[in-house]
């Protein structure tokens, strides 16, 4: 991956609906080499897909909850079971394996506090092996970005 590939990726992260011609103009390539580079980045798995960014509140999910989970045990089976259950709960948008006092950090979007309570009681508490759940509610968003910063050392 060179500087041109990085430029292509940043432009597509900013606007995934760019035509190949517009993308080529922005990265200063002709259309054919630009398209070849995009296809190569897709085939290499650097570009995994394209999606629409939707306004969370307008969509009807105004509440964001960050949930820290600690497991009772860290056996392979306990971890597999937890991660399998998390994958089935569509309100969980992100789930990260953490170092520190929590094992996982999840970002949940939901329509109301009542709906969150029901989700915790019926779906999350039902996951075997959870020792503790700690929820933090976001008052608002200061920054959300889907454009990665440039790596300090370009990959070769």
């Amino acid at each position: 991956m060179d500087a041109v590939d990085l430029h292509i990726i940043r432009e597509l992260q900013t606007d995934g609906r760019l035509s190949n011609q517009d993308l080529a103009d922005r990265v200063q390539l002709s259309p054919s080499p630009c398209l070849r580079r995009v296809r190569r980045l897709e085939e290499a798995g650097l570009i995994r897909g394209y999606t629409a960014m939707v306004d969370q509140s307008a969509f009807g999910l105004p509440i964001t909850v960050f949930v820290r989970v600690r497991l009772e045990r860290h056996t392979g089976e306990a971890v597999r079971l937890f991660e399998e259950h998390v994958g089935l709960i569509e309100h969980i948008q992100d789930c990260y394996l953490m170092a520190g006092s929590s094992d996982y950090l999840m970002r949940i979007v939901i329509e109301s506090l009542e709906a969150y309570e029901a989700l915790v009681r019926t779906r999350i508490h039902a996951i075997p092996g959870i020792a503790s759940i700690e929820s933090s509610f976001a008052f608002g968003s200061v920054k959300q970005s889907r454009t990665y910063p440039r790596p300090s050392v370009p990959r070769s």
Side-chain angles (χ1 to χ4, degrees), residues 7 17 21 30 34 36 49 53 69 73 78 80 98 101 115 123 128-129 136 147:
H7 195 181
R17 294 186 67 184
Q21 181 63 58
S30 58
C34 182
R36 279 195 299 275
M53 293 179 64
V69 174
R73 290 178 216 75
R80 185 196 63 74
M98 303 297 289
S101 60
R123 304 286 305 276
S136 297
T147 304

Side-chain angles (χ1 to χ4, degrees), residues 1 4 8 15 23-24 28 30 39 56 60 69 73 75 82-84 88 95 99 104 109 111 122 124 126 128 141 150:
M1 190 165 65
V4 175
I8 287 170
D15 184 357
L23 178 61
Q28 300 176 348
S30 58
R39 296 292 182 248
Q56 181 180 329
V69 174
R73 290 178 216 75
T75 64
F82 175 81
E83 292 177 359
E84 183 179 293
L88 299 174
C95 182
Y104 293 92
V109 295
E111 54 272 17
T122 63
I124 296 175
S141 175
R150 291 188 184 274

Side-chain angles (χ1 to χ4, degrees), residues 87-116:
L88 299 174
I89 302 172
E90 66 179 2
H91 284 86
I92 299 173
Q93 296 293 289
D94 300 299
C95 182
Y96 298 95
L97 180 61
M98 303 297 289
S101 60
S102 298
D103 296 314
Y104 293 92
L105 175 66
M106 302 185 296
R107 181 177 63 90
I108 295 176
V109 295
I110 199 139
E111 54 272 17
S112 67
L113 293 176
E114 295 80 11
Y116 178 66

Side-chain angles (χ1 to χ4, degrees), residues 3-155:
V4 175
D5 290 336
L6 287 172
H7 195 181
I8 287 170
I9 289 170
R10 287 185 61 82
E11 292 296 336
L12 288 173
Q13 284 182 304
T14 303
D15 184 357
R17 294 186 67 184
L18 281 174
S19 70
N20 184 57
Q21 181 63 58
D22 290 339
L23 178 61
D25 290 345
R26 288 188 186 188
V27 300
Q28 300 176 348
L29 286 175
S30 58
S32 291
C34 182
L35 185 59
R36 279 195 299 275
R37 281 178 176 260
V38 169
R39 296 292 182 248
R40 191 182 77 238
L41 291 167
E42 290 169 347
E43 289 166 6
L46 279 136
I47 297 174
R48 295 190 324 215
Y50 300 88
T51 188
M53 293 179 64
V54 177
D55 183 282
Q56 181 180 329
S57 291
F59 190 73
L61 301 167
I63 297 175
T64 300
V65 189
F66 293 95
V67 181
R68 286 168 297 287
V69 174
R70 201 168 39 82
L71 299 180
E72 291 174 343
R73 290 178 216 75
H74 298 93
T75 64
E77 180 63 13
V79 168
R80 185 196 63 74
L81 200 55
F82 175 81
E83 292 177 359
E84 183 179 293
H85 277 82
V86 164
L88 299 174
I89 302 172
E90 66 179 2
H91 284 86
I92 299 173
Q93 296 293 289
D94 300 299
C95 182
Y96 298 95
L97 180 61
M98 303 297 289
S101 60
S102 298
D103 296 314
Y104 293 92
L105 175 66
M106 302 185 296
R107 181 177 63 90
I108 295 176
V109 295
I110 199 139
E111 54 272 17
S112 67
L113 293 176
E114 295 80 11
Y116 178 66
E117 179 185 3
L119 178 75
V120 170
R121 287 179 182 267
T122 63
R123 304 286 305 276
I124 296 175
H125 279 165
I127 301 172
I130 292 179
S132 68
I133 299 169
E134 185 179 328
S135 303
S136 297
F137 295 86
F139 289 132
S141 175
V142 175
K143 178 182 178 181
Q144 286 184 317
S145 178
R146 297 294 180 247
T147 304
Y148 294 141
R150 291 188 184 274
S152 54
V153 179
R155 293 180 47 184

